[in-house]
Amino acid sequence: MADDLELLTLPYDSPGGQSLLSRLIAELGSSEWTRFRAAVAFLSASGTYDQLIDAIDKFAADGGAVSLTVGADVFGPDGAGSDYEAVNLLLDRFASRETVSIHLYHERGRTFHPKVYLFDDVLEGRALAIVGSSNLSRGGLVNNIEANLVARLNRSKENQWAVFQRLDDCFKDYWTEA
C-alpha cells in the first residue's frame, strides 16, 4: 500500500522537480489516462501556466476527456476568488475542443472549496487522485506552503476503487452541475 500513496508538500518538494505543476503536466503527458478532472475553489491568472494549458490541450487533442470545475463564489481584482480573466482564457483556449468542459460552481449560502485532481482510465481499472490544499494558482501549484496526498487507485483493491467511485460520484452528481 505504501507505493500507492505519496505526500507532495510545496514548496519543499519543488526544487526536486516535484511541484504540483510538474506532476500535473507529467500525468497529462503520460498516456496512462483517458480522463482528467479537477475541482478547485480558485483559478487565478497566475495558475494558467502555458505549459499546463498546453499539456491539457494536447491531452484533449489526443482524445482525453477534460472537465474543470472552478469556484465562482467571488470574482475580484483583490485576489479573493477566481480570476474572471483566467476563466475567459480557458473558455477561449478550449472553445473548439469537444472533449473539454469548464464548469463554474456557485451555490447560494456555501463556498465551493475542494482541491481535487483526478486522472483515470476506467477500462483499465486505474486512477490517480491528488487531494489537498492546492488551487489552480501559482501559489497552489508551486510557491505556497501546501500539502497534497497523491493516491494511486486500482480496481483490484476494493477499498481503493470505492474511493475512486466516491470521487467520480462527486464530479458527476455535484461538481459539474454548476
Side-chain angles (χ1 to χ4, degrees):
M1 181 80 155
D3 294 337
D4 298 334
L5 299 175
E6 67 181 275
L7 183 62
L8 181 60
T9 56
L10 305 177
Y12 313 111
D13 292 329
S14 296
Q18 279 299 305
S19 66
L20 182 55
L21 174 64
S22 64
R23 184 61 178 266
L24 292 174
I25 292 168
E27 295 298 337
L28 286 161
S30 74
S31 72
E32 188 174 354
W33 313 113
T34 59
R35 185 168 49 174
F36 168 61
R37 293 174 284 176
V40 295
F42 304 123
L43 167 70
S44 73
S46 70
T48 55
Y49 285 92
D50 289 340
Q51 309 97 301
L52 179 58
I53 302 304
D54 290 346
I56 293 170
D57 194 35
K58 182 171 181 350
F59 182 81
D62 291 343
V66 176
S67 177
L68 305 173
T69 303
V70 177
D73 296 301
V74 179
F75 289 102
D78 62 355
S82 292
D83 289 344
Y84 184 76
E85 296 77 20
V87 172
N88 273 334
L89 179 134
L90 293 182
L91 290 172
D92 290 344
R93 176 68 184 263
F94 299 118
S96 65
R97 291 272 180 236
E98 292 182 18
T99 60
V100 176
S101 61
I102 298 168
H103 308 269
L104 297 177
Y105 190 100
H106 176 73
E107 185 177 342
R108 190 176 305 242
R110 294 188 203 199
T111 300
F112 186 72
H113 214 253
K115 288 93 172 167
V116 177
Y117 303 86
L118 184 62
F119 296 88
D120 69 72
D121 184 333
V122 174
L123 293 178
E124 294 294 323
R126 63 178 177 241
L128 181 87
I130 303 172
V131 180
S133 61
S134 292
N135 280 302
L136 274 171
S137 64
R138 181 180 317 274
L141 294 172
V142 179
N143 296 333
N144 284 354
I145 298 172
E146 306 277 0
N148 297 282
L149 183 64
V150 181
R152 284 201 171 272
L153 308 171
N154 189 306
R155 183 173 41 218
S156 67
K157 297 180 180 179
E158 190 175 319
N159 62 335
Q160 290 182 9
W161 207 243
V163 170
F164 167 75
Q165 289 177 316
R166 180 68 177 110
L167 285 170
D168 188 54
D169 288 346
C170 285
F171 276 100
K172 288 190 293 192
D173 297 338
Y174 306 118
W175 298 342
T176 55
E177 356 173 280

